[in-house]
Amino acid sequence: MEQIDGRMPVLVGCGDVTDLDTPAEAGRSPYALIAQAAGLALRDCGVAGIGAVIDTVAMIRSFADTSPRFATTLGTSTNPPRSVAQRLGLQAGRHIYSYSGGNMPQYLLNLFAEEIAGGRMRAALLCGGEALRTQHGLERTGAAGVWDEDPGGTPELIGDPRRGWNDHEDLHRMRAAIVMYPLFENAIRGARGRGIEAHQRHIGELMARFATVAAANPLATRREGYTAEQLITVNERNRWIGYPYPRLMNANAFIDQAAAVVMTNVATARELSIARDRWVFLHGCADGHDHWYVGERADLHSSPAIRAASRQALAMAGKSLDQMQVFDLYSCFASAVQIGCQEIGLAEDDARGLTVTGGLPFFGGPGNNYVTHAISGMMRRLRAQPGDFGLVTANGNYVTKHSFGVYSTAAPAGPWRREAPSALQARLDALPKAPFTESPEGAATLETYTVMHGRDGPDFAVVFGRLDATGQRFIANLPDEPARLWDLQNRDSLGRPGRVQRAGDGRNIFVPH
């Protein structure tokens, strides 16, 4: 028998559900959908007794409880993880509901590994999902309150409760991911010195490689295997959302998907006779966030937190990037992938590939829960390739919160321990911030920009700029005039001069020359 510390945390079960076909009127609530995925994860452990030892059920926060954009008339549970646990007959003592963020599945597994290694937790079920496709279908019928549940108790809340945008950004219509990530994309284009056409081709080719993986994944929601040309060609089926992203290059949120994983310790896995070929170990992990608000960051095309945390996770595992055989990089938008590759030190066309699922635009982007699917997919891949190592990256808010996990079926040597995340965060918090003003006035130069579109054309634009006199950064909108908006988009407007001033409603308005 292998000499593995009995307190060593180990993943022993995984399960995923993707429902593309059930009519909305027959569709399940998100709690029922998540329970289905969780039931698959429990059965994947291969033993009957796993449910009896689970002392913690954690659920990733739903989008309906996260963002006004996804709020529902259908109701909610007063204790979502307990709603799931009751459907499965689990008698867990802890019910955890995360705060928002796409980093939270990996963040919680990192935390649970620490709890398990310290003897404070025996076994945990981590689950999450969305039923936004069904939600929207039911809402169109006028349904209300059908998902209300009160299973009793109050969930424990874990994560960072701060929203990802501040009031000044909100005033300028900047709180949605579909606005923020295009701003990063144009900043990346500027940093890399590409023209518009060349950069569009580049990101089309990048994301087409994700689409190819999704085409072969029966759990993916978009399996068409889009080419680069299809992804960047704007037409009725692929209209502009936030320039430079057409619809197919946005995370696909309106889906019914759920996933779950089970983590315990080696002693319990042995006691229950969970087969050794089901075990996947978390060898290294790290968590950290960049400066919280986008406007504070030194630039808009990099991430010191990804750079530092990815290295910390690999160092904890005792592995180099070259020793990873499998990757799943967070991929809500092409800008997230490019920044991730840049900071990790991974070529965007690395022959090992960048995803096990197909990524958020093509596999599906079930709210805050995508990374649970990534971890579940990583487990299956590593079980099929014993001894290989895989790296999962997770991103919350706007390239803000980051979590990493290094996985393998091979057992770690020695006890499981990690450096306190607060030590890394202190180093990240000490990094310089960009000079910023909420009340700019005068001559200025564009730093990055996006034009947001409705179905009938451009609606508004958001820009970051720098005052010529002081170098201070500012946020502004353009006048909401279609001709100006099209002009901003159709010209290469990076570095474009203009003037900025405060409007009567408190917003800053930039008028480019």
Side-chain angles (χ1 to χ4, degrees), residues 164-185:
W165 65 92
N166 59 32
D167 291 342
H168 187 65
E169 291 169 340
D170 197 9
L171 180 65
H172 291 87
R173 294 181 276 191
M174 277 183 62
R175 70 183 182 187
I178 57 173
V179 179
M180 294 288 200
Y181 282 87
L183 291 165
F184 298 138
E185 191 63 66

Side-chain angles (χ1 to χ4, degrees), residues 136-219:
H136 279 234
L138 286 174
E139 286 171 342
R140 284 193 291 269
T141 71
V146 296
W147 288 351
D148 278 327
E149 295 187 14
D150 184 7
T154 301
E156 179 182 348
L157 302 178
I158 290 181
D160 196 318
R162 293 177 291 174
R163 67 182 191 179
W165 65 92
N166 59 32
D167 291 342
H168 187 65
E169 291 169 340
D170 197 9
L171 180 65
H172 291 87
R173 294 181 276 191
M174 277 183 62
R175 70 183 182 187
I178 57 173
V179 179
M180 294 288 200
Y181 282 87
L183 291 165
F184 298 138
E185 191 63 66
N186 276 321
I188 291 167
R189 178 170 67 80
R192 299 186 182 184
R194 292 197 190 105
I196 291 174
E197 184 176 345
H199 192 70
Q200 288 299 99
R201 171 63 57 179
H202 176 80
I203 61 176
E205 291 172 351
L206 171 65
M207 298 313 294
R209 292 191 283 274
F210 282 74
T212 297
V213 174
N217 185 350
L219 291 167

